[in-house]
């Protein structure tokens, strides 16, 4: 998957679209596959994989960023399920998302150990304020507000208290491991376009040295990126 996303970024010269694809897969579909119940997986994974649904991860918050100890979105038990209340953002894919992987506190007193994860469908009560990012025009972002959204108990991903250590930490590691080769691929493509625009005989010696250094650096970074992917997805420590 990482190689496919890297090709998309490089050949399309479009980091935004690749970022949205990576977050759809690595921050929503993949954690659902790893931690979700069989019923949740059967209901949502096929459509997420086909592109029938767009996924997003609502983890960071406008006032506190991704700091788990300061997260204020809550999921309180009520009527056999949970009532979700809070604001998340900026969230990649938010304006076009059909489902959100939401990290919320089921126990504020427990701090980050009281965070849990839920798969929440887009409803009328879920509002999204779009954010325009000029440097990523093809990756829609937004602030998502959950105003007393009732979530069925079977929409919890994993168990209560898994939100930080088991799920949130994992998805950020997965996203970073995949996005690094994507960015490197785009940088290599731009390097190639710059170099190919020169007549070799017209390149000053000092510029040749600089271009060669950049190519060596990119090659080394790619080796490290492949190693990080292997550590992240093949080892018990999940790349930590």
């Amino acid at each position: 998957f990482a190689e496919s996303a890297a090709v998309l970024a490089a050949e399309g010269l479009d980091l935004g679209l690749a970022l949205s694809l990576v977050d759809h897969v690595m921050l929503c579909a993949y954690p659902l596959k790893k931690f979700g119940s069989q019923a949740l997986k059967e209901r949502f994974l096929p459509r997420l994989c086909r592109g029938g649904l767009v996924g997003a991860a609502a983890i960071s918050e406008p006032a506190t960023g991704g700091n788990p100890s300061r997260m204020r979105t809550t999921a309180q038990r009520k009527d056999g399920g949970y009532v979700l209340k809070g604001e998340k953002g900026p969230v990649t894919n938010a304006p076009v998302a059909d489902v959100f992987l939401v990290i919320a506190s089921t126990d504020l007193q427990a701090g980050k150990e009281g965070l849990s994860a839920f798969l929440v469908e887009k409803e009328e009560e879920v509002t999204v304020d779009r954010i325009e990012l000029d440097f990523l025009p093809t990756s829609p972002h937004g602030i998502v507000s959950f105003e007393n959204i009732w979530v069925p108990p079977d929409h919890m991903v994993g168990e209560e208290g898994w939100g930080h250590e088991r799920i949130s930490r994992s998805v950020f590691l997965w996203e970073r491991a995949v996005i690094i080769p994507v960015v490197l691929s785009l940088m290599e493509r731009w390097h190639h376009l710059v170099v190919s625009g020169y007549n070799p005989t017209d390149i000053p010696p000092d510029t040749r040295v600089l271009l060669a250094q950049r190519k060596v650096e990119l090659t080394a970074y790619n080796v490290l990126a492949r190693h990080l992917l292997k550590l992240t997805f093949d080892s018990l420590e999940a790349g930590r």
Side-chain angles (χ1 to χ4, degrees), residues 58-149:
I59 300 177
S60 298
E61 298 185 353
T64 60
N67 187 337
S69 299
R70 301 177 61 194
M71 199 168 287
R72 290 294 174 262
T73 298
T74 58
Q76 296 183 333
R77 286 185 173 273
K78 185 176 182 181
D79 299 332
Y82 296 84
V83 174
L84 190 65
K85 184 174 183 179
E87 193 174 63
K88 295 289 187 176
V91 175
T92 305
N93 293 341
V96 296
D98 301 293
V99 290
F100 298 90
L101 179 72
V102 182
I103 303 295
S105 178
T106 47
D107 183 356
L108 281 174
Q109 300 304 315
K112 63 184 180 182
E113 305 304 325
L115 298 178
S116 303
F118 301 87
L119 194 69
V120 180
E121 297 180 76
K122 178 73 178 294
E123 302 174 357
E124 290 184 1
E125 294 85 356
V126 179
T127 60
V128 177
D129 293 324
R130 189 181 184 109
I131 301 172
E132 298 297 337
L133 300 180
D134 293 338
F135 59 95
L136 289 172
T138 54
S139 180
H141 284 66
I143 303 296
V144 185
S145 298
F146 302 96
E147 189 61 41
N148 295 322
I149 306 296

Side-chain angles (χ1 to χ4, degrees), residues 7-225:
V7 169
L8 176 65
E11 297 304 316
L13 296 175
D14 191 341
L15 182 60
L17 182 59
L19 174 63
S20 281
L21 174 63
V22 168
D23 280 15
H24 165 78
V25 174
M26 302 313 302
L27 298 191
C28 188
Y30 192 64
L32 176 59
K33 176 182 181 295
K34 294 289 286 186
F35 300 112
S37 66
Q38 188 60 35
L40 272 184
K41 288 188 279 192
E42 290 178 356
R43 180 178 175 187
F44 290 100
L45 266 183
R47 287 183 290 166
L48 284 168
C49 292
R50 290 195 304 265
L53 294 176
V54 175
I59 300 177
S60 298
E61 298 185 353
T64 60
N67 187 337
S69 299
R70 301 177 61 194
M71 199 168 287
R72 290 294 174 262
T73 298
T74 58
Q76 296 183 333
R77 286 185 173 273
K78 185 176 182 181
D79 299 332
Y82 296 84
V83 174
L84 190 65
K85 184 174 183 179
E87 193 174 63
K88 295 289 187 176
V91 175
T92 305
N93 293 341
V96 296
D98 301 293
V99 290
F100 298 90
L101 179 72
V102 182
I103 303 295
S105 178
T106 47
D107 183 356
L108 281 174
Q109 300 304 315
K112 63 184 180 182
E113 305 304 325
L115 298 178
S116 303
F118 301 87
L119 194 69
V120 180
E121 297 180 76
K122 178 73 178 294
E123 302 174 357
E124 290 184 1
E125 294 85 356
V126 179
T127 60
V128 177
D129 293 324
R130 189 181 184 109
I131 301 172
E132 298 297 337
L133 300 180
D134 293 338
F135 59 95
L136 289 172
T138 54
S139 180
H141 284 66
I143 303 296
V144 185
S145 298
F146 302 96
E147 189 61 41
N148 295 322
I149 306 296
W150 187 80
V151 182
D154 59 359
H155 275 230
M156 177 174 284
V157 179
E159 300 178 10
E160 277 198 13
W162 282 23
H164 171 62
E165 184 64 27
R166 295 290 296 274
I167 297 177
S168 183
R169 286 190 67 188
S170 294
V171 298
F172 281 129
L173 286 168
W174 296 337
E175 181 197 34
R176 289 164 186 167
V178 171
I179 204 66
I180 288 172
V182 170
V183 173
L184 287 173
S185 181
L186 180 63
M187 292 172 67
E188 281 192 311
R189 180 62 171 162
W190 276 113
H191 183 275
H192 171 74
L193 291 174
V194 170
V195 172
S196 63
Y198 281 106
N199 183 334
T201 60
D202 295 335
I203 303 177
D206 56 343
T207 302
R208 292 184 188 182
V209 171
L210 288 174
L211 291 172
Q213 287 177 337
R214 296 296 86 77
K215 182 62 177 179
V216 169
E217 290 168 357
L218 287 170
T219 301
Y221 293 150
N222 268 310
V223 172
L224 292 172

